[in-house]
Amino acid sequence: MAHILLIEDEADLQRILEFNLRQAGHEVSAALRGRQGIQLARERSPEFIILDLMLPDMAGTEVCKLLKRDAATEAIPILMLTAKGEEVDRILGFELGADDYLTKPFSVRELLLRIDAILRRARGEGALQLPIRFGKLCVEREAHRVFVGEKEVELTAIEFKLLVTLYERKNRVQSRTSLLDNVWGIDADITTRTVDTHVKRLREKMGQAGDYIETIRGVGYRFAELPKEDGS
């Protein structure tokens, strides 16, 4: 179970979600405004955030952007809720670092299942997996931790899954549509710009190890077969 922050301005919906989340065993903090939600995220360090895009004081996308730019909150998984169904809103949410997207109206059961799936992924639950060691890079899949040399790198759940997916298919080119399907689990027919955004952000965070992720022009991305510092 987890401590979940709910940022939702519809009071009735907030009460329903709070009740169901607590019934499922979660601890819940709630905010009706975006700025209040940001403050609670920084003060209480929740394990998960449910964020409405339509807030009275600021756009939910702006809340997401501020949370993902803050070292104290950037690794917290975010699921966005919105009445909007347009593709552009879904893509924008993913580009800002959101982990999932649910359009109103939705079933509470589906919301709970998505939360559980994202939390399992973020916590690295499942079968025992040995750490990935590749040049300067070390990925502790069980602990959801990444190191470049001696320095730990903070990744979001999506960035972590993107890195592991590319590594597990090492030296094989992965198209953007394939990555959308396997990392985000969304229809590959939508724009692939969000993949480029996340790869760029991931490389920047990895520093010297960012070169392990190679761009194959016009096709997609590939994780190098051998670390470049080994002379390959």
Side-chain angles (χ1 to χ4, degrees):
M1 299 300 102
H3 177 194
I4 296 176
L5 172 60
L6 173 61
I7 308 174
E8 167 61 62
D9 70 312
E10 294 182 40
D12 289 343
L13 178 57
Q14 188 187 86
R15 283 193 291 271
I16 291 170
L17 293 179
E18 275 194 79
F19 173 79
N20 282 277
L21 288 168
R22 290 198 169 102
Q23 285 291 105
H26 299 294
E27 177 186 351
V28 183
S29 296
L32 292 167
R33 301 288 186 273
R35 290 183 178 84
Q36 181 191 12
I38 292 171
Q39 182 178 354
L40 287 176
R42 290 168 175 165
E43 291 175 352
R44 301 187 183 181
S45 300
E47 295 174 70
F48 194 93
I49 295 173
I50 300 172
L51 172 63
D52 185 19
L53 282 186
M54 303 294 289
L55 297 168
D57 59 335
M58 61 192 302
T61 51
E62 183 65 18
V63 175
C64 183
K65 182 165 64 177
L66 292 172
L67 290 172
K68 291 301 180 181
R69 286 181 176 176
D70 189 332
T73 56
E74 67 173 351
I76 303 172
I78 295 177
L79 183 147
M80 286 185 162
L81 298 179
T82 180
K84 295 181 179 180
E86 292 86 351
E87 178 181 297
V88 65
D89 299 302
R90 183 165 66 249
I91 293 302
L92 179 58
F94 285 128
E95 288 184 345
L96 291 172
D99 295 85
D100 207 348
Y101 186 104
L102 203 53
T103 303
K104 300 175 184 177
F106 56 86
S107 74
V108 174
R109 177 61 178 162
E110 180 180 3
L111 174 64
L112 292 173
L113 288 172
R114 291 196 184 203
I115 291 171
D116 288 345
I118 294 170
L119 285 172
R120 283 196 304 272
R121 186 173 70 209
R123 292 167 175 171
E125 294 177 3
L128 179 65
Q129 295 177 306
L130 295 175
I132 293 169
R133 299 189 185 279
F134 186 89
K136 296 182 176 70
L137 180 68
C138 176
V139 181
E140 297 180 359
R141 286 178 281 193
E142 294 291 317
H144 191 85
R145 302 178 74 185
V146 176
F147 297 85
V148 176
E150 299 299 320
K151 181 181 177 182
E152 183 167 4
V153 179
E154 294 290 338
L155 300 183
T156 66
I158 282 289
E159 290 164 352
F160 186 86
K161 187 175 182 182
L162 176 60
L163 174 59
V164 171
T165 298
L166 286 167
Y167 175 81
E168 289 178 342
R169 299 170 185 189
K170 188 170 54 185
N171 203 35
R172 287 181 287 163
V173 179
Q174 302 300 306
S175 69
R176 292 169 176 83
T177 52
S178 172
L179 288 170
L180 273 174
D181 184 45
N182 289 287
V183 177
W184 283 264
I186 55 179
D187 190 346
D189 290 335
I190 65 176
T191 178
T192 54
R193 185 179 60 184
T194 189
V195 177
D196 298 329
T197 301
H198 278 77
V199 169
K200 180 176 182 291
R201 188 179 299 143
L202 178 59
R203 281 172 169 160
E204 289 172 351
K205 290 185 176 183
M206 289 171 64
Q208 293 179 332
D211 289 342
Y212 297 161
I213 301 173
E214 304 172 337
T215 298
I216 309 303
R217 191 175 299 277
V219 183
Y221 297 97
R222 176 179 65 199
F223 202 95
E225 182 179 13
L226 294 170
K228 288 182 171 57
E229 62 267 24
D230 286 349
S232 60

